[in-house]
Amino acid sequence: MAAELEGSKALGGLLSGLAQEAFHGHQGITEELLRSQLYPEVSLEEFRPFLAKMRGILKSIASADMDFNQLEAFLTAQTKKQGGITSDQAAVISKFWKNHKTKIRESLMNQSRWDSGLRGLSWRVDGKSQSRHSAQIHTPVAIMELEIGKSGQSHRETEREAETQAEGEAGSMHREPDVGFDPRSPGSRPGPKAGAKPLRHPGIPQEDF
């Protein structure tokens, strides 16, 4: 039975199954399924240590994102250690990693990302045109726009960065003191409020119309 495990014929299928289970989220791939489909002549007790060894080798290669020089050195070391792998098995593993390196790497990167990812970033400097305090008018304000997306969908979130004392005041209307006038539509001349006393100055004579 050991000869069955040392062979390389079914190893490519085993590595593919391990990659699907470990890196691509296919939970239905069990050790019994792999054994029955690929190594039916091997008992489960013999198969488990072999499966654990191949899973460990594949995870070591993937987690280190080995290039081909690193892969060759790593597999050579595995063939020389006691209880390691054969040269034929090393060749199968090397071929598998060269063919699947990109997809496995992309899958690991996707698993390590947040639910939403940053798709774009833009910013500009603007100036306040209105504020409660006249000293803050025309104060530079940095406006940052982030484009965040998840699963092909995106939405925009706009954040304003301003000085601490002006926080929350951007866009607020400037209030004029109440001097007895009632504001009307834009562009019209305001008239006096009902009951308001007319403004007088001692140096200006009052005339009756």
Side-chain angles (χ1 to χ4, degrees), residues 46-67:
E46 289 180 301
F47 179 69
R48 280 176 176 168
F50 175 72
L51 179 66
K53 177 170 62 177
M54 291 302 165
R55 179 183 282 119
I57 289 174
L58 186 57
K59 285 188 175 181
S60 295
I61 295 172
S63 61
D65 192 24
M66 294 184 184
D67 59 30

Side-chain angles (χ1 to χ4, degrees), residues 67-82:
D67 59 30
F68 300 134
N69 291 330
Q70 293 172 326
L71 177 65
E72 183 179 358
F74 174 75
L75 293 177
T76 299
Q78 293 295 315
T79 61
K80 294 180 179 180
K81 66 185 296 186
Q82 185 175 4

Side-chain angles (χ1 to χ4, degrees), residues 4 6 40 46 48 52 68 74 77 80-81 89 99 111 113 122 155 199-200 208:
E4 293 288 339
E6 290 177 359
E46 289 180 301
R48 280 176 176 168
F68 300 134
F74 174 75
K80 294 180 179 180
K81 66 185 296 186
Q89 289 172 341
N99 291 336
Q111 292 175 22
R113 288 174 179 165
S122 62
H155 66 279
L199 297 177
R200 296 183 180 180
D208 296 328

